[in-house]
């Protein structure tokens, strides 16, 4: 049996820098009036809506920001999605959920760029609709 190899982790000083950057991201989102939290440190609150900022400690990781809708919309959309849908014509609640995710992702990109961060869309295969924050602009 071949042993499973885990992905290499970033050096401790790199992870520390990412943690500092994630804290700055939270502060700026809060200053802009958006709910924001470090779910990787605080866990998920009961509602869990708002900007979810977290650090991926892997070597190829970084700081990511996901938007989480309110529980009611998220749960309803996921339950319908799990039952199977026609992807060419999704039910209105699923379409609304997807639109909110896309619109808030674009808003996060714009707000964080305006605050002086270097941002980009994350790889959708590994991070869904998250925004990747790579640092501060010089």
């Amino acid at each position: 049996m071949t042993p499973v190899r885990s992905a290499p982790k970033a050096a401790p000083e790199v992870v520390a820098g990412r943690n500092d950057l994630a804290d700055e991201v939270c502060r700026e989102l809060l200053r802009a009036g958006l709910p924001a939290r470090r779910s990787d440190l605080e866990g998920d609150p009961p509602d869990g809506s708002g900007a979810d900022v977290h650090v991926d400690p892997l070597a190829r990781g970084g700081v990511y920001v996901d938007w989480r809708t309110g529980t009611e919309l998220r749960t309803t959309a996921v339950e319908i999605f799990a039952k199977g849908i026609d992807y060419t014509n999704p039910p209105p609640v699923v379409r609304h959920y997807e639109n909110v995710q896309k619109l808030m992702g674009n808003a996060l990109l714009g707000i964080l760029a305006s605050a002086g961060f270097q941002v980009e869309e994350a790889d959708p295969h590994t991070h869904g609709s998250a925004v990747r924050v790579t640092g501060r602009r010089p």
Side-chain angles (χ1 to χ4, degrees), residues 22-39 42-43 45 48-54 65-68 108 112:
D23 289 344
E24 288 181 48
V25 167
C26 273
R27 276 192 300 277
E28 287 298 336
L29 291 172
L30 289 167
R31 283 174 27 126
L34 295 173
R37 72 189 171 292
R38 291 280 311 271
S39 63
E42 303 166 16
S49 60
D52 176 359
V53 181
H54 57 279
V65 185
D66 288 309
W67 184 259
R68 290 182 51 130
L108 289 169
L112 292 171

Side-chain angles (χ1 to χ4, degrees), residues 7 11 19 29-30 34 40 47 55 60 63 68 78 109 111 118-120 124-125 131 133-134 137:
N19 277 312
L29 291 172
L30 289 167
L34 295 173
D40 56 342
D47 177 30
V55 171
R60 294 183 149 208
V63 175
R68 290 182 51 130
V78 169
L109 279 168
I111 291 165
Q118 295 173 322
V119 294
E120 62 190 24
H125 298 291
V131 171
V133 182
T134 58
R137 282 195 312 266

Side-chain angles (χ1 to χ4, degrees), residues 53-133:
V53 181
H54 57 279
V55 171
D56 181 342
L58 298 178
R60 294 183 149 208
V63 175
Y64 296 91
V65 185
D66 288 309
W67 184 259
R68 290 182 51 130
T69 63
T71 303
E72 182 182 352
L73 178 58
R74 183 174 57 249
T75 301
T76 303
V78 169
E79 287 173 353
I80 291 171
F81 187 79
K83 292 177 185 175
I85 63 170
D86 174 3
Y87 292 98
T88 61
N89 187 24
V93 70
V94 172
R95 193 169 37 250
H96 176 57
Y97 172 80
E98 290 174 345
N99 285 337
V100 169
Q101 290 296 109
K102 183 178 180 179
L103 291 165
M104 290 308 298
N106 289 335
L108 289 169
L109 279 168
I111 291 165
L112 292 171
S114 176
F117 292 99
Q118 295 173 322
V119 294
E120 62 190 24
E121 290 182 14
D123 176 12
H125 298 291
T126 55
H127 294 285
S129 61
V131 171
R132 184 166 189 242
V133 182

